[in-house]
Amino acid sequence: MLVFGGTRSSGLAWAVSKALNSEVGKSEIKTFPDGEKYVKLGNKVAGIECAVIQSVRTNDDFVELLLMLDALRDGGATQVHAVTPYMAYMRQDKRFTEGEALSAKTVLKVIHELADSITMVNCHFLNEGGEAVFNHVNFMNLDAIPLLVQEMAQHAKVPVVIAPDKGSVGYAKEAATLLDCEFNHLSKKRLSGTEVTIKSKELDVKGKDVIILDDIISTGGTIVEAVKIIRGWHPASISVGCVHGLFLNGTDSFKGVADRLISTDTLDNPVGKVSVAPIIAADLRR
Ligand code: R5P
């Protein structure tokens, strides 16, 4: 297999190729002055099974992914696998008001048109890993929570897992099962794209090592609010973990807030210490 990396995931593509003992595909990727993308494959791919690893955080990442997938098809690859560890636009999988575009459907539909398989890591609208179908598109949803928990457990003598909102309680439950400890969740109300309020009755975390888990940290507003509330209940420590660390405002806002902050490497960031390369490699081996 040849594993190509888009610019968003070149390091991860290298790690996956290494885990698979396969070659990293060469490509030239440029942006024209007007913002258009240019992609040129540097390998002959006819008769070869290929994968593109490209997290999609921006619209540019998406276009780059599509160009790479189509170039592989045009080049005669036997199979073309799209691996999008972080996949933007998955937050709108429902229509809340008439006329809204269903972004999750649109994006998946387009990738499905160009790839033989699609793999994501902790897709936002799903609560568990495994094969999934959304609007007639089949894809694989890999679960990085066990990898995160394994790392976070090292710093938690008396763990208790808390989800910052009801939507993430599935992850908290999964982590608590792995750690054989209790879990709970707070209640979040989103006021705007950057503002949230969090409410909760007091939870019994005194003297315990709190693990807060969320799938995505975007601006960090949710987690910072959650930590502030939990800190008032006198835990021994607070560790924060997420699968997809966008950290749009950087990670400085967490300094002096959480005792530890960790994410996976689905996106490049300073705390992305848990690699999802092994689970992606295992999926591509199937
Ligand atoms: C929301 O449903 C997600 O699970 C995260 O809680 C959210 O994306 C975090 O956003 P932010 O870091 O901007 O508060």
Short mmCIF file of all heavy atoms in Angstrom, two decimals, residues 5-15 53-58 61 85-86 217-218 242-251 262-277:
data_model
loop_
_atom_site.label_atom_id
_atom_site.label_comp_id
_atom_site.label_asym_id
_atom_site.label_seq_id
_atom_site.Cartn_x
_atom_site.Cartn_y
_atom_site.Cartn_z
N GLY A 5 0.07 11.62 2.39
CA GLY A 5 -0.39 12.54 3.42
C GLY A 5 -0.72 13.89 2.81
O GLY A 5 0.04 14.41 2.00
N GLY A 6 -1.86 14.45 3.21
CA GLY A 6 -2.16 15.83 2.83
C GLY A 6 -1.35 16.76 3.72
O GLY A 6 -0.72 16.31 4.69
N THR A 7 -1.36 18.04 3.42
CA THR A 7 -0.52 18.95 4.23
C THR A 7 -0.97 19.00 5.68
O THR A 7 -0.16 19.23 6.57
CB THR A 7 -0.51 20.38 3.65
OG1 THR A 7 -1.85 20.77 3.38
CG2 THR A 7 0.28 20.47 2.38
N ARG A 8 -2.25 18.78 5.96
CA ARG A 8 -2.73 18.83 7.35
C ARG A 8 -2.23 17.63 8.15
O ARG A 8 -2.17 17.67 9.37
CB ARG A 8 -4.26 18.89 7.34
CG ARG A 8 -4.93 19.00 8.66
CD ARG A 8 -4.68 20.29 9.40
NE ARG A 8 -5.27 21.45 8.80
CZ ARG A 8 -5.08 22.69 9.25
NH1 ARG A 8 -4.32 22.92 10.31
NH2 ARG A 8 -5.63 23.73 8.64
N SER A 9 -1.89 16.53 7.48
CA SER A 9 -1.59 15.29 8.22
C SER A 9 -0.31 14.60 7.74
O SER A 9 -0.21 13.38 7.79
CB SER A 9 -2.76 14.31 8.09
OG SER A 9 -3.94 14.86 8.60
N SER A 10 0.67 15.39 7.30
CA SER A 10 1.87 14.73 6.74
C SER A 10 2.60 13.90 7.79
O SER A 10 3.06 12.79 7.50
CB SER A 10 2.79 15.77 6.11
OG SER A 10 3.00 16.82 7.00
N GLY A 11 2.70 14.41 9.02
CA GLY A 11 3.40 13.66 10.09
C GLY A 11 2.68 12.37 10.42
O GLY A 11 3.30 11.31 10.57
N LEU A 12 1.38 12.45 10.51
CA LEU A 12 0.58 11.27 10.84
C LEU A 12 0.67 10.23 9.71
O LEU A 12 0.78 9.03 9.97
CB LEU A 12 -0.87 11.71 11.08
CG LEU A 12 -1.85 10.67 11.63
CD1 LEU A 12 -1.32 9.98 12.87
CD2 LEU A 12 -3.20 11.32 11.93
N ALA A 13 0.68 10.71 8.47
CA ALA A 13 0.78 9.78 7.32
C ALA A 13 2.11 9.03 7.39
O ALA A 13 2.18 7.82 7.14
CB ALA A 13 0.67 10.56 6.01
N TRP A 14 3.15 9.75 7.78
CA TRP A 14 4.47 9.11 7.91
C TRP A 14 4.41 8.03 9.00
O TRP A 14 4.89 6.92 8.82
CB TRP A 14 5.51 10.19 8.24
CG TRP A 14 6.89 9.66 8.35
CD1 TRP A 14 7.78 9.43 7.35
CD2 TRP A 14 7.54 9.24 9.57
NE1 TRP A 14 8.95 8.90 7.85
CE2 TRP A 14 8.82 8.77 9.21
CE3 TRP A 14 7.16 9.21 10.90
CZ2 TRP A 14 9.72 8.29 10.16
CZ3 TRP A 14 8.06 8.73 11.85
CH2 TRP A 14 9.33 8.28 11.46
N ALA A 15 3.81 8.37 10.14
CA ALA A 15 3.73 7.41 11.26
C ALA A 15 2.89 6.18 10.87
O ALA A 15 3.23 5.05 11.24
CB ALA A 15 3.13 8.09 12.48
N ILE A 53 -4.20 10.28 3.87
CA ILE A 53 -4.49 10.68 5.24
C ILE A 53 -4.50 12.20 5.28
O ILE A 53 -3.49 12.85 4.95
CB ILE A 53 -3.46 10.09 6.22
CG1 ILE A 53 -3.49 8.58 6.06
CG2 ILE A 53 -3.78 10.52 7.65
CD1 ILE A 53 -2.74 7.78 7.05
N GLN A 54 -5.63 12.75 5.60
CA GLN A 54 -5.76 14.21 5.61
C GLN A 54 -6.89 14.60 6.55
O GLN A 54 -8.07 14.40 6.24
CB GLN A 54 -6.05 14.71 4.18
CG GLN A 54 -6.55 16.15 4.05
CD GLN A 54 -5.43 17.19 4.14
OE1 GLN A 54 -4.43 17.01 4.82
NE2 GLN A 54 -5.60 18.30 3.46
N SER A 55 -6.52 15.13 7.71
CA SER A 55 -7.57 15.69 8.57
C SER A 55 -8.13 16.92 7.87
O SER A 55 -7.40 17.66 7.21
CB SER A 55 -7.00 16.10 9.93
OG SER A 55 -7.00 14.99 10.79
N VAL A 56 -9.43 17.11 8.03
CA VAL A 56 -10.07 18.26 7.37
C VAL A 56 -10.51 19.24 8.44
O VAL A 56 -11.47 19.02 9.16
CB VAL A 56 -11.28 17.79 6.53
CG1 VAL A 56 -12.03 18.98 5.98
CG2 VAL A 56 -10.81 16.89 5.40
N ARG A 57 -9.71 20.30 8.60
CA ARG A 57 -10.09 21.33 9.56
C ARG A 57 -10.61 22.58 8.85
O ARG A 57 -11.46 23.28 9.34
CB ARG A 57 -8.89 21.70 10.45
CG ARG A 57 -9.33 22.51 11.66
CD ARG A 57 -8.22 22.83 12.59
NE ARG A 57 -7.46 24.01 12.27
CZ ARG A 57 -7.96 25.23 12.12
NH1 ARG A 57 -9.25 25.44 12.24
NH2 ARG A 57 -7.17 26.24 11.84
N THR A 58 -10.06 22.80 7.63
CA THR A 58 -10.46 23.99 6.87
C THR A 58 -11.01 23.56 5.50
O THR A 58 -10.81 22.43 5.06
CB THR A 58 -9.25 24.91 6.62
OG1 THR A 58 -8.33 24.19 5.79
CG2 THR A 58 -8.57 25.31 7.91
N ASP A 61 -8.30 22.29 3.32
CA ASP A 61 -7.93 20.88 3.58
C ASP A 61 -8.86 19.96 2.80
O ASP A 61 -8.44 18.92 2.28
CB ASP A 61 -8.08 20.53 5.07
CG ASP A 61 -7.14 21.32 5.97
OD1 ASP A 61 -6.14 21.83 5.47
OD2 ASP A 61 -7.44 21.40 7.18
N PRO A 85 -8.77 11.76 9.86
CA PRO A 85 -8.82 11.56 11.32
C PRO A 85 -9.73 12.58 12.00
O PRO A 85 -10.62 12.22 12.76
CB PRO A 85 -7.35 11.73 11.72
CG PRO A 85 -6.58 11.34 10.50
CD PRO A 85 -7.40 11.82 9.35
N TYR A 86 -9.52 13.88 11.70
CA TYR A 86 -10.50 14.87 12.14
C TYR A 86 -11.27 15.31 10.90
O TYR A 86 -10.69 15.65 9.88
CB TYR A 86 -9.84 16.10 12.78
CG TYR A 86 -10.87 17.18 13.07
CD1 TYR A 86 -11.86 16.97 14.02
CD2 TYR A 86 -10.88 18.38 12.37
CE1 TYR A 86 -12.84 17.93 14.27
CE2 TYR A 86 -11.86 19.35 12.61
CZ TYR A 86 -12.82 19.11 13.57
OH TYR A 86 -13.79 20.05 13.81
N ILE A 217 -11.83 20.04 21.39
CA ILE A 217 -11.63 21.35 22.03
C ILE A 217 -11.40 22.31 20.88
O ILE A 217 -10.45 22.17 20.11
CB ILE A 217 -10.45 21.36 23.02
CG1 ILE A 217 -10.74 20.43 24.21
CG2 ILE A 217 -10.21 22.80 23.52
CD1 ILE A 217 -9.66 20.41 25.28
N SER A 218 -12.31 23.26 20.77
CA SER A 218 -12.22 24.20 19.65
C SER A 218 -11.63 25.52 20.16
O SER A 218 -10.44 25.76 20.08
CB SER A 218 -13.62 24.35 19.06
OG SER A 218 -13.60 25.15 17.93
N CYS A 242 -8.73 15.45 25.10
CA CYS A 242 -9.67 15.49 23.98
C CYS A 242 -9.08 14.70 22.82
O CYS A 242 -7.87 14.50 22.75
CB CYS A 242 -9.96 16.93 23.54
SG CYS A 242 -8.57 17.74 22.76
N VAL A 243 -9.96 14.27 21.95
CA VAL A 243 -9.47 13.55 20.76
C VAL A 243 -8.93 14.57 19.76
O VAL A 243 -7.79 14.47 19.31
CB VAL A 243 -10.61 12.71 20.13
CG1 VAL A 243 -10.10 12.02 18.86
CG2 VAL A 243 -11.14 11.70 21.13
N HIS A 244 -9.77 15.56 19.43
CA HIS A 244 -9.40 16.52 18.39
C HIS A 244 -9.09 17.88 19.03
O HIS A 244 -10.00 18.59 19.45
CB HIS A 244 -10.54 16.68 17.39
CG HIS A 244 -11.04 15.37 16.85
ND1 HIS A 244 -10.26 14.54 16.07
CD2 HIS A 244 -12.24 14.74 16.98
CE1 HIS A 244 -10.96 13.47 15.75
NE2 HIS A 244 -12.16 13.57 16.29
N GLY A 245 -7.83 18.22 19.08
CA GLY A 245 -7.43 19.49 19.69
C GLY A 245 -7.25 20.57 18.64
O GLY A 245 -6.18 20.71 18.04
N LEU A 246 -8.30 21.34 18.40
CA LEU A 246 -8.19 22.45 17.42
C LEU A 246 -7.45 23.63 18.06
O LEU A 246 -6.69 24.31 17.39
CB LEU A 246 -9.58 22.91 16.95
CG LEU A 246 -10.27 22.08 15.87
CD1 LEU A 246 -10.76 20.74 16.41
CD2 LEU A 246 -11.44 22.84 15.27
N PHE A 247 -7.74 23.88 19.33
CA PHE A 247 -7.09 24.95 20.09
C PHE A 247 -6.97 26.24 19.27
O PHE A 247 -5.87 26.74 19.03
CB PHE A 247 -5.71 24.50 20.61
CG PHE A 247 -5.80 23.32 21.54
CD1 PHE A 247 -5.26 22.09 21.19
CD2 PHE A 247 -6.44 23.43 22.76
CE1 PHE A 247 -5.35 20.99 22.05
CE2 PHE A 247 -6.55 22.34 23.63
CZ PHE A 247 -5.99 21.12 23.27
N LEU A 248 -8.11 26.75 18.86
CA LEU A 248 -8.12 27.94 18.01
C LEU A 248 -7.50 29.15 18.70
O LEU A 248 -7.01 30.06 18.04
CB LEU A 248 -9.56 28.26 17.57
CG LEU A 248 -10.27 27.15 16.79
CD1 LEU A 248 -11.66 27.58 16.39
CD2 LEU A 248 -9.47 26.72 15.56
N ASN A 249 -7.54 29.18 20.04
CA ASN A 249 -6.91 30.28 20.78
C ASN A 249 -5.60 29.84 21.41
O ASN A 249 -5.16 30.43 22.39
CB ASN A 249 -7.86 30.79 21.88
CG ASN A 249 -9.14 31.34 21.30
OD1 ASN A 249 -9.14 31.90 20.21
ND2 ASN A 249 -10.25 31.16 22.01
N GLY A 250 -5.00 28.79 20.91
CA GLY A 250 -3.76 28.28 21.48
C GLY A 250 -4.04 27.49 22.75
O GLY A 250 -5.19 27.30 23.15
N THR A 251 -2.96 27.04 23.39
CA THR A 251 -3.14 26.24 24.62
C THR A 251 -2.80 27.05 25.88
O THR A 251 -2.96 26.55 26.98
CB THR A 251 -2.25 24.96 24.57
OG1 THR A 251 -0.93 25.35 24.21
CG2 THR A 251 -2.77 23.96 23.57
N ILE A 262 -4.08 17.12 27.35
CA ILE A 262 -3.53 16.18 26.36
C ILE A 262 -4.56 15.95 25.25
O ILE A 262 -5.77 16.03 25.49
CB ILE A 262 -3.13 14.85 27.05
CG1 ILE A 262 -2.23 14.03 26.14
CG2 ILE A 262 -4.32 14.05 27.51
CD1 ILE A 262 -1.42 13.00 26.89
N SER A 263 -4.04 15.72 24.05
CA SER A 263 -4.95 15.37 22.95
C SER A 263 -4.27 14.30 22.10
O SER A 263 -3.11 13.96 22.32
CB SER A 263 -5.29 16.59 22.10
OG SER A 263 -4.29 16.82 21.14
N THR A 264 -4.99 13.82 21.12
CA THR A 264 -4.37 12.91 20.15
C THR A 264 -3.72 13.78 19.06
O THR A 264 -3.79 15.01 19.10
CB THR A 264 -5.40 11.96 19.50
OG1 THR A 264 -6.14 12.70 18.53
CG2 THR A 264 -6.32 11.32 20.52
N ASP A 265 -3.13 13.11 18.09
CA ASP A 265 -2.48 13.83 17.00
C ASP A 265 -3.32 13.85 15.72
O ASP A 265 -2.78 13.91 14.62
CB ASP A 265 -1.09 13.25 16.71
CG ASP A 265 -1.15 11.76 16.35
OD1 ASP A 265 -2.26 11.16 16.43
OD2 ASP A 265 -0.11 11.19 15.99
N THR A 266 -4.67 13.80 15.88
CA THR A 266 -5.50 13.93 14.67
C THR A 266 -5.29 15.31 14.05
O THR A 266 -5.51 15.51 12.86
CB THR A 266 -7.00 13.73 14.96
OG1 THR A 266 -7.43 14.71 15.91
CG2 THR A 266 -7.29 12.33 15.50
N LEU A 267 -4.89 16.27 14.89
CA LEU A 267 -4.51 17.62 14.42
C LEU A 267 -3.20 17.96 15.09
O LEU A 267 -2.97 17.56 16.24
CB LEU A 267 -5.59 18.64 14.81
CG LEU A 267 -6.93 18.49 14.07
CD1 LEU A 267 -8.02 19.28 14.79
CD2 LEU A 267 -6.81 18.94 12.63
N ASP A 268 -2.36 18.72 14.41
CA ASP A 268 -1.09 19.13 15.01
C ASP A 268 -1.34 20.16 16.10
O ASP A 268 -2.03 21.16 15.85
CB ASP A 268 -0.18 19.78 13.95
CG ASP A 268 0.64 18.73 13.23
OD1 ASP A 268 0.76 17.61 13.75
OD2 ASP A 268 1.15 19.06 12.14
N ASN A 269 -0.83 19.93 17.28
CA ASN A 269 -0.90 20.93 18.35
C ASN A 269 0.17 20.59 19.38
O ASN A 269 0.69 19.47 19.38
CB ASN A 269 -2.32 20.99 18.95
CG ASN A 269 -2.66 19.73 19.72
OD1 ASN A 269 -1.94 19.33 20.62
ND2 ASN A 269 -3.75 19.08 19.34
N PRO A 270 0.49 21.51 20.28
CA PRO A 270 1.60 21.26 21.22
C PRO A 270 1.33 20.15 22.24
O PRO A 270 2.27 19.71 22.90
CB PRO A 270 1.76 22.61 21.94
CG PRO A 270 0.96 23.60 21.19
CD PRO A 270 -0.06 22.87 20.41
N VAL A 271 0.08 19.72 22.40
CA VAL A 271 -0.19 18.69 23.42
C VAL A 271 -0.68 17.38 22.80
O VAL A 271 -1.18 16.50 23.50
CB VAL A 271 -1.22 19.21 24.47
CG1 VAL A 271 -0.67 20.37 25.26
CG2 VAL A 271 -2.56 19.57 23.82
N GLY A 272 -0.51 17.25 21.50
CA GLY A 272 -0.99 16.05 20.78
C GLY A 272 -0.06 14.87 20.95
O GLY A 272 0.56 14.41 19.99
N LYS A 273 0.01 14.36 22.18
CA LYS A 273 1.02 13.32 22.49
C LYS A 273 0.54 11.90 22.25
O LYS A 273 1.33 10.97 22.23
CB LYS A 273 1.43 13.46 23.96
CG LYS A 273 2.12 14.78 24.25
CD LYS A 273 2.87 14.74 25.57
CE LYS A 273 3.59 16.04 25.81
NZ LYS A 273 2.72 17.09 26.34
N VAL A 274 -0.77 11.72 22.11
CA VAL A 274 -1.29 10.35 21.93
C VAL A 274 -1.53 10.12 20.45
O VAL A 274 -2.38 10.77 19.84
CB VAL A 274 -2.62 10.18 22.72
CG1 VAL A 274 -3.25 8.84 22.44
CG2 VAL A 274 -2.36 10.35 24.22
N SER A 275 -0.76 9.21 19.88
CA SER A 275 -0.88 9.04 18.42
C SER A 275 -1.99 8.06 18.04
O SER A 275 -2.13 6.98 18.64
CB SER A 275 0.43 8.56 17.83
OG SER A 275 0.28 8.49 16.42
N VAL A 276 -2.76 8.46 17.03
CA VAL A 276 -3.79 7.57 16.51
C VAL A 276 -3.25 6.71 15.36
O VAL A 276 -3.99 5.92 14.77
CB VAL A 276 -5.05 8.36 16.04
CG1 VAL A 276 -5.76 9.01 17.22
CG2 VAL A 276 -4.71 9.39 14.97
N ALA A 277 -1.94 6.83 15.08
CA ALA A 277 -1.34 6.05 13.97
C ALA A 277 -1.61 4.54 14.12
O ALA A 277 -1.97 3.89 13.13
CB ALA A 277 0.15 6.35 13.86
#
